[in-house]
Amino acid sequence: MGALVSLVAVAVLALLAVTAVASDNLRLVFGAVIPGVAFAVFLVGVVARVTRWARAPVPFRIPTTAGQQKSLPWIKNSELDNPSGTLGVVGRMFLEVLFFRSLFRNTKVELITDKEKVNYIGTKYLWAAAMAFHWSMLIVVFRHFRFFVEPVPRVVEIIQSLDGFFQVGVPVIYATSVLLIVSLGYLLLRRLADAKVKYISLPTDYFALYLLLGIAISGFLMRHLEKVDIVNVKAAIAGWASFQLVAPEGVGALYFIHVFLVSVLFVYFPFSKLLHAPGVFLSPTRNLANNNRAKRHVNPWNPPIVGHTYAEWEEEFHDKLVASGFVLDKE
Ligand code: HEM
């Protein structure tokens, strides 16, 4: 049900964008005003949420530990799985952010009913699909700099020519565009086909996937079917940067679908689970070293402890203690 609701929501959004071709005013709204406002919401939203996280107090060290802690010199510790210092934290974060190391260790539970046994099997499909999706999206977005920057940076041109290395189709089909669509397709099918994953999936899980798929497919079709005029697109995009509203000319429905779905993504991003991208850097389970035993950490807002020493106690009950024959420390 959640999957269907999200599919309908994204389809309605796409249809809404198609109306943009009808008039000059709508072209201006969908092609310039909405993307500009959406980008502003994205920037302010992400900065606000990240600032809020950054200001949250972290009184205790709670790093996830998955290996031997540093202790006695003759016990071999695992610096990447249980970092004792900043270098280990940086190493672990680097592998996590760029290669999803913890997902690489993903396991699947399997029930062998006839033997009454539970099996935990390592499975790499999710990891492979997540890597393919995130990396190809990064490269696709990076390639988009050719629309935003003039002259096009050399590094963007190099990545572009490597991406189109196979020289298939006119215009050339980029490997990462295909990989992006295929990996998103897998991530969606996984939620729909696996009963356990389907059970825990929320409408928002599907919404993000349909939205990204909508963006990727409309972009792909725009390049290969509609054959959009990049010069016109650049004029509209340059308008966003200089706060001038320029309606894109010579583009069709697919362009408006693409840009409107990207605008929805921009607005949705700061308030959704997609914010895990900056969030991983602020996660105390990942960004802290486990030096709990080597160093004493005191909670900074502990109230001052007002103690009551033995001497003070004796002083307070002095008469009563003397009357009961108690031998006092202080005569
Ligand atoms: C405001 C932001 C964006 C604008 C103005 C934009 C514009 C465009 C244009 C004009 C094309 C056609 C390219 C060509 O004919 O060579 C395109 C293609 C494409 N776009 Fe976007 N896009 C934006 C954001 C995104 C984002 C965030 C994604 C990914 C999630 C994306 C994914 C794609 C894909 C997969 C293609 C297919 C061809 C390729 O890989 O270059 N776009 N986009």
Side-chain angles (χ1 to χ4, degrees), residues 293-330:
R293 294 190 188 170
K295 262 178 100 174
R296 180 169 146 79
H297 299 281
V298 180
N299 183 356
W301 66 79
N302 271 348
I305 296 170
V306 187
H308 196 55
T309 61
Y310 177 77
E312 284 163 352
W313 176 81
E314 210 181 71
E315 183 92 28
E316 189 181 343
F317 297 103
H318 179 268
D319 296 346
K320 288 193 176 75
L321 292 171
V322 170
S324 67
F326 200 88
V327 182
L328 296 177
D329 268 6
K330 205 170 125 192

Side-chain angles (χ1 to χ4, degrees), residues 20 57 103 112 154 166 171 176 245 248 289 305 308:
L103 186 59
I112 309 171
R154 187 83 191 98
F166 294 110
T176 48
L245 299 179
I305 296 170
H308 196 55

Side-chain angles (χ1 to χ4, degrees), residues 140 143-144 146-147 177 215 219-220 222-223 228 258 262:
V140 166
R143 272 201 285 99
H144 274 59
R146 73 185 192 280
F147 311 136
S177 307
I215 293 169
F220 188 83
M222 179 175 26
R223 179 174 166 82
V228 68
H258 190 65
V262 171

Side-chain angles (χ1 to χ4, degrees), residues 110-178:
E110 207 181 54
L111 194 65
I112 309 171
T113 10
D114 51 333
K115 287 191 194 150
E116 292 194 343
K117 264 177 76 178
V118 170
N119 245 2
Y120 291 91
I121 339 159
T123 157
K124 304 281 179 261
Y125 293 120
L126 179 60
W127 172 81
M131 282 284 286
F133 158 63
H134 284 89
W135 274 102
S136 51
M137 186 165 117
L138 182 72
I139 296 171
V140 166
V141 171
F142 190 69
R143 272 201 285 99
H144 274 59
F145 272 94
R146 73 185 192 280
F147 311 136
F148 298 93
V149 190
E150 190 61 55
V152 179
R154 187 83 191 98
V155 53
V156 174
E157 284 177 351
I158 295 173
I159 299 241
Q160 200 168 298
S161 58
L162 285 176
D163 208 348
F165 176 78
F166 294 110
Q167 301 273 327
V168 178
V170 180
V172 164
I173 296 177
Y174 293 121
T176 48
S177 307
V178 177

Side-chain angles (χ1 to χ4, degrees), residues 20-101:
V21 273
S23 78
D24 282 351
N25 282 346
L26 284 174
R27 280 173 173 271
L28 193 68
V29 170
F30 279 91
V33 181
I34 294 178
V37 173
F39 190 60
V41 172
F42 171 78
L43 280 186
V44 175
V46 170
V47 170
R49 301 265 330 245
V50 168
T51 316
R52 215 178 89 200
W53 287 337
R55 286 161 61 145
V58 182
F60 300 115
R61 303 224 144 206
I62 50 165
T64 316
T65 56
Q68 177 61 49
Q69 179 179 12
K70 186 172 179 191
S71 57
L72 299 167
W74 40 269
I75 298 177
K76 197 174 172 323
N77 70 312
S78 165
E79 196 53 25
L80 279 179
D81 286 318
N82 200 337
S84 66
T86 311
L87 206 64
V89 169
V90 171
R92 166 148 97 160
M93 191 69 103
F94 179 83
L95 291 176
E96 186 61 35
V97 170
L98 295 184
F99 303 107
F100 307 166
R101 186 162 175 262

